[in-house]
Amino acid sequence: QLGPRNKKRLPPGPKGLPILGHLHLLGKNPHRDLYRLARKHGPIMGLRLGFVPAVVVSSPAAAELVLKTHDLIFASRPTNEASVYVAYDQRNLAFGPYGPFWRDMRKLCTLKLLSNLKISQFQHMRRAEVGLLVTYLKRAAESREAVDLSARVAELNGDMNFLMVFGKKYSTMEEKGFKDVNRESMEIVGKFNLADYFQYVGVLNLQGLHGKMKRLSKVFDGILEEIIDDHMKKQQQQRVADLVDTMMEIMESGQAGFEFDRRHVKAVLLDMIIAGMDTSSTALEWAMSELMKNPATVSSKASSYQKKARVIVNVWAIGRDPDVWANPDSFTPERFVGSEIDLRGRHFELLPFGSGRRGCPGLQLGLTVVKLVLAQLVHCFDWELPDGMMASEVDMAENFGLVTARAEPLVAVPICRLHKY
Ligand code: HEM
């Protein structure tokens, strides 16, 4: 058990510095740094991030221990300051501490917001939006124009996501400054905040993030209030109920069966926006980048580690574990032909959606969107690199964050494959 006697126990790891612990070993791309360290120190490695002890897990077997065998112990996310300010004091799903509230909220989101029924109700809208992108690309193809595929895919996904959540497009939100606060809050949530690693630093407010977070949460709140008010004024007649309609109905009818007020509605709306936006579009831009680049195309001791230790499952490292994957860095989709490994969290070699209790509840929606858009992009067009660029020159550098996207946008020239569609 996790008694005080085990207080100092952490699995072996590199030598750390006083106060900083191992923070100095982590640079711009911590997933890569942790991968390198794990190759040396093993798949269950102990680190100290400032005052926060951490266990870094870097193999499928070790991930299974955390996400399946001992999942109950690890079912809460560490509290971070952003979740307190921006997510209505953790009244949301993504940051809600594990317990009865989180379980109720998870059930509500899975059954009412992200169910297969709800996903299929928006099929028509998704087709129409993808149709608009295809039309745009067709025009670009006619003039052999290079397009910023990263931006176009992000905008498409943003529009689809917002239409489902708010009933209006992301691209029409510009005048309200929503895009800016959205971008800023993604940055803050993904950003390294000293107070999350040094208990006593928080009160000193060294990075000035408190003020920023407060300001952002105020702007978000104003926009969300306005959107909810608009929905309440307009009767939802024949249109498909968006997520604001659905949640307000649940709130007003009292059918949630647990404390569920306007703050919860707003917190979950932010979840759906933040978790649903860049995830699917980033998967798409990486998939397209790989296609452009490749035209041919443990131990059961886990439960006795120090209480409050933070567990980091480095899914990036696991997906590249040379003991599990042959040529892990090569893009070889054929490796999955005839393989039983899928990506839904049952096979710990591949965990794009996480696994277990906290695994992604938007998996079905994410996969639906990624498959639909990718299929259209490669079915309707061949793609060429601009200005005679070689496939080998496609820059594959990433930008670490809440979602690890491409550092540079993917720019390519569409060539129509079909005469009529
Ligand atoms: C390709 C698209 C997507 C990917 C790769 C993805 C990936 C993930 C991952 C890795 C997690 C964390 C899992 C864990 O901690 O074990 C997560 C959590 C979550 N995702 Fe997704 N996601 C995607 C799309 C979506 C969409 C479309 C939505 C909703 C609109 C969504 C909503 C959420 C929520 C609410 C959580 C937090 C769940 C909780 O803490 O209980 N995701 N996702």
Side-chain angles (χ1 to χ4, degrees), residues 39 61 123 153-154 179 201 205 222 274 318:
R39 293 302 298 160
Q123 189 182 33
V153 164
K179 282 186 178 178
V201 171
N205 186 19
I274 291 178
I318 293 173

Side-chain angles (χ1 to χ4, degrees), residues 57-71:
V57 160
S58 311
S59 74
E64 186 166 355
L65 281 176
V66 170
L67 299 172
K68 191 171 164 191
T69 318
H70 301 288
D71 63 336

Side-chain angles (χ1 to χ4, degrees), residues 242-260:
D242 57 41
L243 301 194
V244 178
D245 296 320
T246 308
M247 274 196 286
M248 288 309 284
E249 198 200 317
I250 295 171
M251 186 191 102
E252 296 202 316
S253 64
Q255 55 175 288
F258 62 100
E259 195 198 359
F260 189 77

Side-chain angles (χ1 to χ4, degrees), residues 84-372:
V84 174
Y85 285 99
V86 185
Y88 297 84
D89 220 353
Q90 298 182 310
R91 282 182 174 79
N92 65 340
L93 173 65
F95 290 122
Y98 183 73
F101 165 75
W102 176 84
R103 279 198 300 271
D104 285 337
M105 191 58 116
R106 173 96 184 185
K107 205 159 141 196
L108 185 147
C109 290
T110 319
L111 294 181
K112 304 283 185 187
L113 308 183
L114 298 167
S115 63
N116 284 342
L117 174 67
K118 203 78 197 161
I119 295 172
S120 65
Q121 283 174 344
F122 291 100
Q123 189 182 33
H124 187 74
M125 172 277 283
R126 283 191 297 271
R127 290 225 175 114
E129 291 303 312
V130 175
L132 291 177
L133 176 63
V134 170
T135 308
Y136 165 86
L137 292 173
K138 219 177 132 191
R139 244 178 258 139
E142 276 158 17
S143 51
R144 290 195 70 85
E145 213 179 288
V147 296
D148 181 340
L149 204 47
S150 297
R152 295 288 76 79
V153 164
E155 196 172 280
L156 166 67
N157 190 50
D159 280 349
M160 291 195 291
N161 189 258
F162 268 56
L163 281 167
M164 185 182 85
V165 179
F166 294 144
K168 58 166 78 174
K169 291 194 190 195
Y170 179 60
S171 45
T172 63
M173 300 288 289
E174 193 65 286
E175 71 281 6
K176 293 188 173 167
F178 193 98
K179 282 186 178 178
D180 290 335
V181 272
N182 198 35
R183 219 171 290 132
E184 229 179 299
S185 61
M186 287 286 280
E187 246 178 68
I188 287 189
V189 177
K191 202 175 185 160
F192 166 69
N193 176 11
L194 281 180
D196 293 336
Y197 298 95
F198 298 96
Q199 259 162 322
Y200 311 107
V201 171
V203 277
L204 301 176
N205 186 19
L206 284 182
Q207 290 172 304
L209 278 180
H210 289 206
K212 218 177 188 181
M213 286 190 217
K214 269 193 191 152
R215 184 178 55 76
L216 280 181
S217 66
K218 234 178 140 180
V219 179
F220 262 137
D221 191 62
I223 294 171
L224 290 171
E225 280 294 335
E226 209 181 308
I227 290 175
I228 294 175
D229 283 345
D230 273 359
H231 276 72
M232 301 310 285
K233 271 186 233 143
K234 278 186 224 139
Q235 283 301 314
Q236 174 235 323
Q237 284 147 347
Q238 276 151 0
R239 65 188 168 82
V240 177
D242 57 41
L243 301 194
V244 178
D245 296 320
T246 308
M247 274 196 286
M248 288 309 284
E249 198 200 317
I250 295 171
M251 186 191 102
E252 296 202 316
S253 64
Q255 55 175 288
F258 62 100
E259 195 198 359
F260 189 77
D261 60 30
R262 220 166 151 110
R263 289 169 303 178
H264 298 94
V265 172
K266 290 184 284 187
V268 172
L269 286 174
L270 283 183
D271 268 353
M272 296 298 133
I273 293 301
I274 291 178
M277 290 267 291
D278 291 358
T279 40
S280 308
S281 54
T282 300
L284 277 163
E285 69 166 7
W286 283 121
M288 285 302 290
S289 309
E290 288 292 1
L291 289 172
M292 306 276 325
K293 219 176 158 59
N294 300 274
T297 285
V298 172
S299 134
S300 63
K301 280 194 215 119
S303 60
S304 64
Y305 292 137
Q306 190 171 353
K307 199 171 180 180
K308 299 233 186 274
R310 186 168 296 201
V311 175
I312 298 169
V313 180
N314 190 352
V315 292
W316 187 90
I318 293 173
R320 284 158 185 79
D321 185 343
D323 299 335
V324 178
W325 300 103
N327 297 321
D329 287 324
S330 79
F331 178 67
T332 328
E334 310 83 84
R335 69 171 88 230
F336 295 105
V337 177
S339 152
E340 60 156 25
I341 294 181
D342 79 354
L343 41 68
R344 290 170 186 270
R346 289 180 298 238
H347 299 99
F348 295 86
E349 298 89 334
L350 187 66
L351 296 170
F353 294 95
S355 174
R357 282 165 219 258
R358 292 310 283 233
C360 178
L363 180 147
Q364 204 51 44
L365 176 59
L367 282 182
T368 304
V369 166
V370 170
K371 282 188 204 169
L372 170 70

